C-alpha cells in the first residue's frame, strides 16, 4: 500500500524524524489561512511517482498566484492517480541534499540501507549510491557505518546516523516495504530534515498494523474499479486490453496461461488468480467480475487442483451459468474429485477439456467469432 | 533425489488446523513418515493416528524427526519456524502464504546462523515421487524418474510435472521454493544439489517475472552446473508495474522482465521453453543426448 507524502511525513514525525512545517489543503481558498509567509511550496498529493516531472510541485510567490496554482494542481491526475490534496510548506533554505532509504533486498534476503551523498531525482543512475545490509537483530553501528560510507564526518555524521536509526525503527515497527527520504535535507542551520518522503506498507502485514486499519480502500492508486473490488475481496485481478478473460488457480499457472493465449494469437482481457484453496464464493465472485468486463468475449477457466476440489469449482460454475446463460466458457479442470465435477457439468451442457493447450486453442477460436453471430 | 526420501521423519506444525489435518492425511496416504504434530495446548491428542505435542522440543525428542512442515497462520509462522530451527530440525518447509516479508527475513537470518534449510514460504513443498511428499502437492501427478524440478510456482509446477509424467519423464525431486520476494533456499543451492545427485539427469527450472534470481541462477549454471538445464519463465506477456498474483512477481523500474531472464539463460546454454509443452520436448532432447554420451 503506497502512502501519500503527507502520511509518510506524519509517520516520520511519529518516529522522531524532523519534517518541515506543513498544512494540507483541499480548496484554493484554504491558502489564505496559512501563515508561513510566501514564497510557499505547493505539492500535489498523489500515489504515483514522477510527480515533479509531471509538474505536480510548484512554488507560489504570493497569494493570488498561489490560489491559481492550487486550482490547477487540485485538478491534476498523475500516472492514473488523482490529486487527493495539496501539501503546503514554506521554502526551506538548503545547504545540502542527501538520499536515504530502507527496503528489503531480495537477493540478500535482508533489509538494506540505501544512501547517497547527493539527493535528487535520478538516484539510481547517479553512480554514487551506497548499500549497507542490515543484520538481524539491528544495531545502531550499521547506521554509523552508512554515514561514514557516505563520506559524512563530525556532528553531521552523528545526526544522519541517528536519523537512519529512526527510519529503520519505523520500517520494522510498521512492516514497511519501503521507507524513503528524498531529499534528506541539511539546512543552512545544520539541521537534518525529511523534505520529501515515500512509504510503502507491506500488504500482507495490514492485518496486524492497527495504525492502517481501513486505509486500504483509500490507497488503491491506479487500479480499475473491478481491480479495486477484487483486491478488497483478497483476489489478484489485472485487467488487460484483450478479449479473453483468464481465470486460474495459482499465480504461475495464470501467467503461463496468459502467455500461451498471447503466443497462439489470442488477447487476454484479464489475469485473475483465484488462489490455491479457492472456495465457491470466491470462484463465483471471480467468474462474475470477469463476465462484468464488457471487453470479455470468452472466459477461459483453467483449474489444476492441488488443494482445490474440482466439484466445488463445478458447483460455482453451474450457479454462474444459470445466472449468465449467454456467457461463453471454456473450462479446463483437472484434479481432486474430477469425475464428480464432470458429471455435474455435463448435465449443464459444459464439456471439460483436460489438456491446457487444447483449452487455450478453443478459447482463442471462440474469441475470434463475431459476437452477434455467436449469440 | 535431494533433501528428502522415504526415511525422512516429519513433524507437522499446525496439525490440528483445517489445512494441517487434511494434508497430514494426504501425506500419510502417500507414504510420508509423519511422526508427530505440534499445536500449543493440544498435546496428548492424535490427528489421523499421529501424536500431537505442545512444543517442537517435545516432538523431536519423542520422534527423532529431522524435518518440519509448517501450516500455521501467517503472523505466527516466524514463531513456529524459529521454534523448529531451535529444536534442531535440518529442514523446515513453510507452506503458509501471506507472511510479512520482514518476518521471513528474520527467519532466514536465524536459520542461516544454525545452518538449517528453509523451503518457502508461500510454497507447495517438496516431493520425491514414490518416496515422500512434504507439503500440499498432488502426489498422483508426479512419477519417479530422472528430472529434478525447481519452481517459484505451485500449480504451474503441477502443470509441467503433469505433462512431463504423461510423456514418460518422471522426477527425482521437485522443490517449490515459493512465490515470495524473500525466501529460504533458492535456485543456486538446489541446482548444485541436483548437480551432485546421481538420480537426476536433467534439471527443469521454472521461474517467473520479478527480481533477479533467474539471472543469478544463470551465472551459477555457467560456473558450476554440468547437467543439462531446461528453463521456463512465466509472465512473458505480463504488463510492467503490476503484481501478478505472487508477492514477488512484479516488473518494477524495467527490471525483472521475462525477456531479461530468458536472455540470461540462453546466453549460458540453457534451453528456454515458452510453453509447458516445449519443456517436455526439451527434456526429451536433453535425455536422449545424455544417453548418447
Amino acid at each position: 500500500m503506497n502512502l501519500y507524502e503527507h502520511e509518510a511525513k506524519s509517520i516520520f514525525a511519529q518516529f522522531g524524524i524532523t519534517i518541515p512545517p506543513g498544512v494540507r489543503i483541499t480548496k484554493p481558498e484554504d491558502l489564505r489561512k496559512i501563515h508561513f509567509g510566501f514564497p510557499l511550496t505547493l505539492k500535489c498529493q498523489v500515489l504515483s511517482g514522477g510527480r515533479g516531472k509531471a509538474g505536480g510541485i510548484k512554488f507560489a510567490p504570493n497569494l493570488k498566484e498561489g490560489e491559481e496554482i492550487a486550482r490547477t494542481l487540485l485538478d491534476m491526475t498523475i500516472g492514473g492517480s488523482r490529486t487527493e490534496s495539496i501539501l503546503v510548506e514554506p521554502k526551506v533554505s538548503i545547504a545540502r541534499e542527501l538520499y536515504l532509504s530502507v527496503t528489503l533486498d531480495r537477493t540478500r534476503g535482508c533489509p538494506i540501507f540505501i544512501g547517497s551523498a547527493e539527493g535528487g531525482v535520478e538516484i539510481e543512475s547517479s553512480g554514487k549510491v551506497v548499500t549497507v545490509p542490515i543484520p538481524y537483530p539491528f544495531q545502531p553501528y550499521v547506521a554509523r557505518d552508512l554515514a561514514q560510507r557516505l563520506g559524512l564526518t563530525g556532528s553531521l555524521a552523528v545526526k544522519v546516523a541517528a536519523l537512519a536509526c529512526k527510519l529503520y525503527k519505523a520500517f520494522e515497527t510498521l512492516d514497511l516495504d519501503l521507507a524513503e527520504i528524498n531529499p534528506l535535507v541539511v539546512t543552512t542551520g545544520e539541521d537534518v530534515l525529511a523534505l520529501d518522503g515515500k512509504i510503502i506498507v507491506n500488504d500482507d502485514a495490514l492485518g496486524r498494523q492497527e495504525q492502517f486499519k481501513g486505509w486500504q480502500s483509500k490507497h488503491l492508486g491506479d487500479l480499475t474499479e473491478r481491480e479495486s473490488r477484487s483486491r478488497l475481496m483478497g483476489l489478484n485481478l489485472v485487467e488487460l486490453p484483450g478479449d479473453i478473460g483468464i481465470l486460474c488457480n495459482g499465480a504461475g499457472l495464470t501467467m503461463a496461461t496468459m502467455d500461451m493465449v498471447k503466443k497462439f494469437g489470442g488477447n487476454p482481457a484479464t489475469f485473475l488468480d483465484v488462489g490455491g484453496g479457492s472456495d465457491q464464493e470466491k470462484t463465483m465472485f471471480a467468474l462474475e467480475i470477469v463476465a462484468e468486463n464488457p471487453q470479455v468475449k470468452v472466459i477461459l477457466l483453467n483449474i489444476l487442483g492441488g488443494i482445490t476440489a474440482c466439484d466445488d469449482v463445478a458447483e460455482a460454475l453451474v450457479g454462474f451459468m444459470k445466472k449468465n446463460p449467454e456467457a461463453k466458457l471454456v473450462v479446463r479442470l483437472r484434479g481432486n474429485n474430477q469425475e464428480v465435477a464432470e458429471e455435474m457439468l455435463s448435465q449443464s451442457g459444459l464439456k471439460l477439456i483436460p489438456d491446457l493447450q487444447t483449452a487455450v486453442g478453443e478459447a482463442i477460436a471462440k474469441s475470434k467469432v463475431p459476437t452477434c453471430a455467436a449469440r | 533425489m535431494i533433501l528428502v526420501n522415504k526415511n525422512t521423519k516429519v513433524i507437522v506444525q499446525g496439525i490440528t488446523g483445517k489445512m494441517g489435518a487434511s494434508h497430514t492425511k494426504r501425506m500419510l496416504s502417500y507414504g510420508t513418515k509423519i511422526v508427530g504434530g505440534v499445536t500449543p495446548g493440544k498435546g496428548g491428542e492424535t490427528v489421523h493416528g499421529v501424536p500431537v505435542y505442545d512444543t517442537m522440543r517435545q516432538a523431536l525428542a519423542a520422534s527423532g524427526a529431522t524435518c518440519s512442515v509448517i501450516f500455521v497462520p501467517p503472523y505466527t509462522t516466524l514463531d513456529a519456524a524459529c521454534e523448529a530451527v531451535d529444536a534442531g530440525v535440518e529442514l523446515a518447509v513453510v507452506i503458509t502464504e501471506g507472511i510479512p516479508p520482514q518476518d521471513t527475513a528474520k527467519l532466514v537470518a536465524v536459520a542461516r546462523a544454525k545452518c538449517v534449510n528453509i523451503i518457502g514460504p508461500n510454497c507447495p513443498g517438496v516431493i520425491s515421487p514414490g518416496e515422500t511428499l512434504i507439503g500440499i502437492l498432488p502426489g498422483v501427478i508426479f512419477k519417479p524418474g530422472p528430472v529434478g524440478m525447481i519452481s517459484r510456482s505451485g500449480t504451474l509446477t503441477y502443470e509441467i510435472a503433469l505433462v512431463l509424467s504423461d510423456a514418460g519423464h518422471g522426477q527425482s525431486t521437485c522443490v517449490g521454493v515459493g512465490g515470495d520476494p524473500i525466501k529460504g533456499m533458492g535456485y543456486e543451492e538446489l541446482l548444485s544439489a541436483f548437480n551432485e545427485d546421481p538420480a537426476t539427469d536433467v534439471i527443469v527450472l521454472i521461474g517467473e517475472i520479478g527480481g533477479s534470481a533467474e539471472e543469478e541462477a544463470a551465472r551459477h549454471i555457467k560456473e558450476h552446473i554440468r547437467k543439462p538445464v531446461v528453463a521456463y519463465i512465466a509472465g512473458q506477456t505480463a504488463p510492467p508495474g503490476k503484481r501478478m498474483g505472487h508477492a514477488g512477481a512484479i516488473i518494477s523500474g524495467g527490471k525483472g522482465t521475462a525477456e531479461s531472464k530468458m536472455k540470461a539463460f540462453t546466453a549460458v546454454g540453457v534451453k528456454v521453453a515458452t510453453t509447458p509443452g516445449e519443456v517436455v520436448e526439451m527434456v526429451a532432447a536433453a535425455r536422449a543426448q545424455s544417453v548418447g554420451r
Side-chain angles (χ1 to χ4, degrees), chain B residues 8-83:
Chain B
T8 308
K9 291 183 182 174
V10 184
I11 303 288
V12 178
Q13 288 181 263
I15 193 168
T16 56
K18 194 179 155 210
M19 261 197 70
S22 68
H23 286 287
T24 295
K25 192 176 172 194
R26 295 184 58 195
M27 286 187 277
L28 282 168
S29 68
Y30 194 80
T32 306
K33 281 208 168 66
I34 308 282
V35 294
V38 167
T39 299
K42 301 271 174 86
E45 295 182 10
T46 57
V47 173
H48 303 300
V50 174
V52 181
Y53 304 92
D54 287 316
T55 67
M56 277 299 285
R57 194 180 54 77
Q58 287 174 306
L60 259 63
S63 65
T66 55
C67 175
S68 159
V69 58
I70 300 178
F71 288 98
V72 306
Y75 298 158
T76 53
T77 301
L78 174 61
D79 179 13
C82 285
E83 185 186 0

Side-chain angles (χ1 to χ4, degrees), chain B residues 1-2 145-147 172 192-202 227:
Chain B
M1 72 204 70
I2 63 167
V147 181
S172 54
S192 289
F194 278 127
N195 197 50
E196 300 305 315
D197 172 35
T200 302
D201 293 339
V202 185
K227 288 181 185 171

Side-chain angles (χ1 to χ4, degrees), chain B residues 247-261:
Chain B
I250 182 165
I251 299 168
S252 51
K255 295 210 177 106
T257 62
E259 195 194 348
S260 147
K261 295 165 189 302

Side-chain angles (χ1 to χ4, degrees), chain A residues 104-111 124 136 168 171-172 175-177 202-208 222-223 227 236 238 240 249-253 255-256 258-260 262-264 271 273 302 304-307 332 334 336 356-357, chain B residues 19 23 26 75 98-103 105-106 109-110 112 136 138 141 152-153 155-156 158-159 162 166 181-182 208-212 216 232-239 242-246 248-249 255 274-276 278:
Chain A
L104 281 164
D105 183 310
R106 292 174 69 141
T107 303
R108 293 182 179 92
C110 69
E124 280 180 20
Y136 175 72
Y168 177 79
F171 174 82
E172 186 185 28
D175 275 309
L176 307 182
D177 281 341
N202 183 257
D203 290 329
D204 285 327
L206 289 174
R208 70 178 182 190
D222 60 351
L223 296 186
E227 286 172 344
N236 192 275
V238 178
L240 303 159
N249 61 330
L253 187 60
M255 278 190 274
M258 174 183 80
D259 293 346
M260 281 173 79
K262 194 88 183 168
K263 183 182 165 81
F264 295 118
F271 164 101
D273 170 13
N302 176 21
L304 183 55
I307 326 178
R332 191 274 183 124
R334 215 170 143 163
N336 284 342
L356 177 55
Q357 200 143 327
Chain B
M19 261 197 70
H23 286 287
R26 295 184 58 195
Y75 298 158
I99 300 170
Q102 289 197 44
D103 280 7
K106 287 172 184 170
V110 168
R112 272 184 196 156
I136 60 174
I141 283 175
R152 270 168 73 181
S153 160
T155 46
L156 180 55
Y158 314 161
E159 178 70 44
L162 181 73
D166 282 353
I182 308 286
E208 63 189 32
I209 55 163
S212 56
E216 288 145 23
Y232 173 86
I233 306 293
Q236 295 153 39
T237 59
K242 299 279 185 182
R243 206 170 288 282
M244 307 304 278
H246 281 153
K255 295 210 177 106
T274 58
T275 64
E278 278 181 21

